[in-house]
């Protein structure tokens, strides 16, 4: 019903009676106009952004109505800057293997370092402190070697491969050197350290 007309008005009644047909005609007219517009623009060249080409800035819409996300590179960065799994952080054994087998690089380093700590704590022989400390440093150096050689080391991979190599290798080397130059009767004589200690004491 059109506002401002009476239900008894023959013109309005005629419009209501002809409503479906006229609506269909209107729809076909609108469709025809759209097709005419499309036909008029058919000769116009379509740009890459309108066509949705891969190189254009517009993202193509998927059937679900969501825009496709830009594809990211699967290469691991040299330095890890997010919380993603670092390079080489996969399982060191197949998924059907037991959990200790999947994490054998980490367990190797932890067991070696734990044995060194146990020797230092129990002190069962004369040079127990020095040997236990060297064992701890050797465990960290072994972790650096495993990080470099083994493609997937499980939870031993904390950061990027480069960062883990520097961290494990540097810490292990320093611990071994400190164990070798520990007093009394150091196993490694470094004159520079002796001069530095004498200068500090003076």
């Amino acid at each position: 019903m059109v506002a401002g007309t009476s239900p008894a008005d023959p013109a309005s009644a005629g419009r209501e009676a002809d409503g479906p047909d006229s609506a269909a005609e209107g729809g076909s007219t609108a469709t025809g106009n759209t097709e005419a517009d499309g036909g008029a623009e058919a000769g116009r060249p379509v740009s890459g952004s309108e066509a949705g080409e891969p190189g254009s800035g517009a993202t193509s819409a998927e059937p679900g109505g969501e825009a496709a996300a830009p594809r990211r590179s699967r290469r691991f960065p040299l330095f890890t800057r997010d919380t993603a799994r670092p390079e080489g952080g996969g399982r060191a054994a197949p998924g059907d293997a037991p959990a200790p087998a999947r994490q054998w690089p980490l367990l190797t380093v932890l067991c070696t370092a734990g044995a060194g700590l146990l020797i230092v704590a129990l002190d069962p022989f004369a040079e127990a402190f020095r040997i236990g400390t060297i064992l701890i440093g050797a465990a960290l150096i072994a972790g650096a070697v495993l990080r470099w050689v083994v493609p997937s080391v499980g939870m031993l991979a904390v950061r990027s491969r480069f960062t883990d190599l520097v961290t494990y290798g540097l810490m292990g080397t320093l611990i071994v050197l400190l164990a070798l130059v520990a007093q009394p009767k150091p196993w490694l004589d470094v004159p520079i350290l002796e001069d530095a200690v004498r200068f500090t004491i003076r």
Side-chain angles (χ1 to χ4, degrees):
M1 179 183 291
V2 182
T5 60
S6 172
D9 189 1
S12 64
R15 275 195 224 95
E16 290 179 359
D18 297 337
D21 296 333
S22 59
E25 291 176 3
S28 62
T29 305
T31 307
N33 293 337
T34 306
E35 293 175 354
D37 294 341
E41 295 180 1
R44 183 175 58 85
V46 181
S47 62
S49 60
E50 293 177 354
E53 294 180 356
S56 61
T59 56
S60 60
E62 300 207 348
E66 298 179 356
R71 186 172 181 180
R72 297 184 179 180
S73 174
R74 299 185 65 181
R75 296 182 63 185
F76 289 99
L78 182 60
F79 299 97
T80 304
R81 296 184 178 89
D82 54 10
T83 57
R85 186 179 68 185
E87 179 184 5
R91 291 188 292 261
D96 55 353
R102 294 196 300 265
Q103 299 295 334
W104 69 265
L106 178 65
L107 292 177
T108 301
V109 174
L110 289 180
C111 290
T112 308
L117 288 173
L118 191 63
I119 291 174
V120 171
L122 296 178
D123 197 13
F125 45 88
E127 297 290 339
F129 173 78
R130 197 185 307 274
I131 292 178
T133 309
I134 291 175
L135 202 56
I136 296 172
L140 291 175
I141 295 175
V145 173
L146 289 174
R147 191 71 174 94
W148 173 261
V149 175
V150 181
S152 297
V153 292
M155 295 177 65
L156 187 63
V158 181
R159 304 167 190 85
S160 65
R161 177 171 280 122
F162 175 79
T163 307
D164 287 343
L165 280 172
V166 171
T167 304
Y168 295 151
L170 186 60
M171 290 180 61
T173 304
L174 289 177
I175 291 174
V176 170
L177 287 177
L178 289 175
L180 292 176
V181 300
Q183 297 291 337
K185 298 179 181 179
W187 289 5
L188 180 63
D189 189 9
V190 182
I192 299 176
L193 293 178
E194 293 181 1
D195 295 339
V197 170
R198 289 175 183 175
F199 178 77
T200 304
I201 292 176
R202 289 180 182 178

